Amino acid sequence: MLIIGLYLLAMLAHAGVAMSARDALRYRTEADPHGLIADMRQQLDKLGGSAAPAQERDLLWLMGTAAVNVNDDTALTEALLRLDSLAAARHYDLAAASAGFLRSRHLIASGNGDGISEALRAAAKVQDATDPKIIAWAKYNLCDAYAMSERASGAMPLCEQAQDAYRALGDTWSLAEAENDQGVNFAGLNQPEKAIELYQRSRQHFASLGAEQMVAMVGDNLAQMYLKVGRAKEALLLSQASLAQEQATGRISDALVSRANIALDYATLGQSARALSTISAAVDDARAAKMDGLLPELLERRSRMSEQAGQPRQALDDAREVIRLLGERNATTLHSDEVSLEARYATRENELRIQTLEHQNRLQELALKTAQAEAAEHVESQQRQALVGMLTKGVSVALILIAGLLYLLLRAQRRYAAELRVQALRDPLTGVDNRRAFMQRATALLGDDHAPRLTHVLMLIDFDHFKRVNDSAGHPQGDRVLSMVADYLSCAIVDVGHIARIGGEEFAVLCPRLGADAGLRLAETLRAGVAALSLPAAVPLDHITISIGVALFDGDRCHDLGSWMRAADAALYSAKSFGRNRVVASSLLH
């Protein structure tokens, strides 16, 4: 297998492709994963105990990445055990983080656990690193975990930071991976044009390295966006090309996703029988391969295609199985949340419940359609056979009543889901918007092409020495102070902006069209107002103060939400550095 790897490098060099030896190995995790796993084992066995920690970690990371790509549980388990052993024996945090990120990818791909929490724990292992490459690597892996978990609002700033870091490092391969993930985020936010732009940039970067299989892989993501904008024929060609690559390299999970996309392409092109046949075969193969993480999505897609094809019974059966599978998955995730870092995200349980309710609503809709169809069939049978007995009439009335009850239940569930959506956007302690609501509101504001952009003001607010409150009076009193200050801030900005709690003691104030001068005056009013608040008697401090960083959206350096938040964060950092209890404006205001 080493000969194959050298041959691949030689061919790339002969073709004049600017792919480094490191990139060629990363390429093989996708293009030749089984061969790479064998090569890594051979090199590790040859080195024995003489390998330097960094060298051993690099080999195991490549091996584990390839194993995740082809669902090789044996190779993945071996890589994880050896990384854990290396981390313990050498006190090597990078090895521990590598094992954590591999576990996160496996959990997300299989749908059998909370991959986000695993990724957060892995990133915490290297949070004090100073090496730009390690920092960029951790940012990207967090970005990837959030993106693959369909949590675009959490992924977008991480993916943007990873892109910036990889541009600075000149790492084209990693930049292309981060751009692909950012495309996934825009797709999740239903912004197909922006997703297309990111996917095309990713493909261009991979093409510049000669990584044609990666070009095809990203092409499958691009195909989904082409389908959304009415380019179904182009989408079908891209997905078929991606499927051929994935089947050739044994990437079962990716191949199943491509086949599901191809089925959707056929359905859009009016080939309903071919679409149903394709998605049904994908469902059967997912069951055979025990790819439980993909089954809900595949069954949901088949359910909708069956409904459109006039097969409500099949649609209902698939929808019921989706409910069962999601219930099992959510139970696992919620249990993991109780013992993981996800305790910091109080809305996670609501999000999962909303997801379940939405699928239950779908189940009720299909049950209603099935009941209506059965009622219609029964009436037809009555007319055909001319049987007008009391028993038959009773059955008809019962079917109609059942349909009515199902309709009422569906309406009640929809109202409940709407209430939960509101709860999912509120911070449970202070009652103001949470980070998710802030990201949605800010993204919508910047996405409004008709709104004047040069006057939007963003403030990032952080408490000064808040630990003193918790240490002196206890966390319950600390929570009380947080709520009290949040109430004051909410009242003070009610007519001009929106406030959100985006971290432990950190708040954001978003003021559309307020302007620089008014924004700075408001920030100073908020700072002075908090300092003048009377604290509860149980808190043995005279007052509490805040520091505020202010940034104006200028459309140039602050051209998107990520750069805008970084500008405000830099100003907040300056306020802290200059002594706290002050307002500092980003240089972009001047």
Side-chain angles (χ1 to χ4, degrees), residues 396-564:
S396 299
V397 171
L399 287 171
I400 293 170
L401 286 174
I402 290 171
L405 288 172
L406 284 170
Y407 176 72
L408 292 174
L409 179 60
L410 177 61
R411 287 184 60 187
Q413 292 236 10
R414 281 177 173 163
R415 285 196 299 270
Y416 184 42
E419 291 173 2
L420 281 177
R421 285 192 186 94
V422 172
Q423 294 175 22
L425 298 175
R426 289 286 181 270
D427 174 51
L429 174 62
T430 62
V432 301
D433 286 355
N434 61 14
R435 185 182 185 90
R436 180 184 183 188
F438 166 76
M439 296 298 290
Q440 289 181 1
R441 192 185 299 276
T443 300
L445 176 64
L446 299 189
D448 184 1
D449 295 332
H450 302 292
R453 292 188 171 187
L454 298 181
T455 56
H456 302 327
V457 173
L458 172 64
M459 304 178 200
L460 290 184
I461 301 172
D462 193 46
F463 282 69
D464 297 329
H465 302 300
F466 190 76
K467 188 174 182 294
R468 294 176 183 173
V469 178
N470 288 331
D471 289 347
S472 61
H475 288 277
Q477 291 300 325
D479 290 346
R480 185 179 174 190
V481 170
L482 278 177
S483 298
M484 180 185 71
V485 173
D487 288 343
Y488 164 74
L489 295 174
S490 298
C491 293
I493 58 99
V494 67
D495 295 326
V496 294
H498 311 278
I499 184 171
R501 184 185 180 199
I502 60 174
E505 299 94 43
E506 190 171 4
F507 291 80
V509 172
L510 185 66
C511 299
R513 299 175 292 281
L514 183 60
D517 293 340
L520 287 173
R521 287 195 299 271
L522 176 60
E524 184 59 34
T525 298
L526 297 179
R527 182 204 64 77
V530 171
L533 290 175
S534 297
L535 297 180
V539 179
L541 297 174
D542 293 333
H543 60 275
I544 189 77
T545 63
I546 57 174
S547 298
I548 305 179
V550 183
L552 184 73
F553 192 90
D554 70 343
D556 183 13
R557 286 180 61 190
C558 285
H559 57 278
D560 56 17
L561 180 56
S563 59
W564 194 18

Side-chain angles (χ1 to χ4, degrees), residues 179-399:
E179 288 170 337
N180 178 55
D181 275 352
Q182 193 71 306
V184 171
N185 296 329
F186 280 120
L189 294 172
N190 197 27
Q191 299 183 41
E193 296 296 345
K194 290 185 178 180
I196 288 172
E197 178 186 347
L198 266 295
Y199 288 145
Q200 287 175 339
R201 276 164 43 189
S202 175
R203 280 162 58 88
Q204 289 167 2
H205 281 127
F206 278 129
S208 73
L209 297 173
E212 292 304 318
Q213 294 196 27
M214 300 301 295
V215 174
M217 182 191 74
V218 180
D220 193 40
N221 292 337
L222 179 60
Q224 297 178 54
M225 295 301 101
Y226 277 170
L227 192 62
K228 280 197 171 186
V229 297
R231 299 164 66 175
K233 290 183 178 179
E234 294 173 82
L236 178 59
L237 291 175
L238 284 172
S239 291
Q240 288 173 332
S242 180
L243 176 62
Q245 296 279 15
E246 290 154 358
Q247 289 177 327
T249 55
R251 300 203 310 273
I252 300 172
S253 175
D254 292 337
L256 286 170
V257 173
S258 292
R259 290 165 66 187
N261 292 335
I262 289 170
L264 191 56
D265 296 335
Y266 284 142
T268 305
L269 292 169
Q271 302 178 39
S272 57
R274 198 168 185 180
L276 268 175
S277 173
T278 301
I279 194 66
S280 294
V283 168
D284 293 341
D285 289 348
R287 293 191 199 277
K290 297 182 179 179
M291 301 295 294
D292 295 339
L294 288 176
L295 263 179
E297 179 182 351
L298 296 174
L299 287 166
E300 174 73 14
R301 190 162 292 186
R302 186 171 72 175
S303 175
R304 295 191 181 278
M305 290 181 182
S306 298
E307 183 182 1
Q308 292 170 358
Q311 300 179 22
R313 175 56 60 187
Q314 179 66 58
L316 181 58
D317 290 344
D318 285 342
R320 283 173 173 161
E321 187 171 1
V322 170
I323 291 293
R324 179 182 62 79
L325 291 171
L326 287 177
E328 293 173 356
R329 177 190 297 179
N330 289 353
T332 301
T333 303
L334 287 173
H335 175 72
S336 175
D337 284 350
E338 291 172 1
V339 294
S340 72
L341 296 178
E342 286 297 295
R344 291 163 36 191
Y345 303 93
T347 62
R348 177 61 173 154
E349 182 175 353
N350 270 351
E351 291 173 3
L352 294 172
R353 292 168 65 195
I354 289 169
Q355 183 185 47
T356 300
L357 275 173
E358 287 173 345
H359 283 283
Q360 287 177 342
N361 289 344
R362 162 106 175 122
L363 184 64
Q364 296 294 340
E365 288 174 351
L366 290 171
L368 177 59
K369 288 184 179 180
T370 302
Q372 290 171 336
E374 289 175 351
E377 288 175 6
H378 188 74
V379 171
E380 269 184 33
S381 176
Q382 273 188 323
Q383 293 172 345
R384 233 180 3 255
Q385 300 173 18
L387 298 176
V388 191
M390 290 300 294
L391 180 60
T392 304
K393 289 181 180 178
V395 172
S396 299
V397 171
L399 287 171

Side-chain angles (χ1 to χ4, degrees), residues 110-128:
S110 64
N112 291 327
D114 188 357
I116 293 289
S117 292
E118 193 67 48
L120 287 167
R121 281 192 290 268
K125 300 288 185 183
V126 290
Q127 64 183 357
D128 296 328

Side-chain angles (χ1 to χ4, degrees), residues 136 139-140 143 157-167 175 178:
K139 290 288 187 185
Y140 167 71
C143 144
L158 292 164
C159 293
E160 184 173 350
Q161 292 168 25
Q163 289 176 73
D164 291 343
Y166 285 134
R167 283 193 198 97
L175 174 60

